[in-house]
């Protein structure tokens, strides 16, 4: 299944996996436009938990620079991100947790 909007396309990379409890995980790819008409793919894992009514109670997305294809530099330019800003943000989170 693929959903598209405003140049972004999101598609499941594997079936959604459930714990037969209150959690599920799904792997999906996000395709985004890049400079020069190229495309960048980001591979993501989302983990969700649900309340007793079956509604989302939390969702976490997991991805890293190595999950971008054709690579970090092109991916960041396409998304308007800088590696420095992301690394600083990560470091600030670590400092705040200490």
């Amino acid at each position: 299944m693929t959903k598209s909007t405003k140049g972004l396309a999101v598609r499941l990379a594997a079936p959604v996996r459930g714990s037969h409890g209150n959690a599920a995980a799904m792997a999906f790819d996000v395709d985004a436009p890049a400079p020069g008409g190229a495309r960048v793919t980001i591979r993501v894992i989302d983990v969700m938990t649900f309340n007793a009514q079956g509604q989302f109670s939390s969702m976490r997305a997991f991805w890293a620079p190595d999950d971008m294809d054709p690579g970090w530099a092109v991916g960041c330019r396409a998304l308007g991100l800088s590696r420095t800003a992301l690394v600083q943000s990560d470091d600030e989170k670590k400092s705040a947790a200490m």
Side-chain angles (χ1 to χ4, degrees), residues 27 32 34 39 61 67 80 84 98:
R39 306 275 311 163
D67 297 320
T84 304
M98 293 181 171

Side-chain angles (χ1 to χ4, degrees), residues 5-89:
T5 183
K6 295 187 181 185
L8 295 175
V10 178
R11 71 178 172 280
L12 283 175
V16 174
R17 305 292 183 189
S19 66
H20 304 287
N22 71 334
M26 67 181 200
F28 62 96
D29 297 333
V30 177
D31 290 317
R39 306 275 311 163
V40 174
T41 299
I42 306 169
R43 292 170 191 82
V44 183
I45 302 287
D46 268 10
V47 177
M48 298 146 287
T49 59
F50 307 94
N51 63 21
Q53 292 75 40
Q55 300 167 324
F56 286 97
S57 57
S58 71
M59 183 173 73
R60 293 184 65 194
F62 297 89
W63 65 278
D66 289 342
D67 297 320
M68 288 184 172
D69 185 35
W72 173 259
V74 173
C76 284
R77 280 194 303 271
L79 297 173
L81 302 173
S82 74
R83 183 179 195 284
T84 304
L86 291 177
V87 170
Q88 288 171 345
S89 177

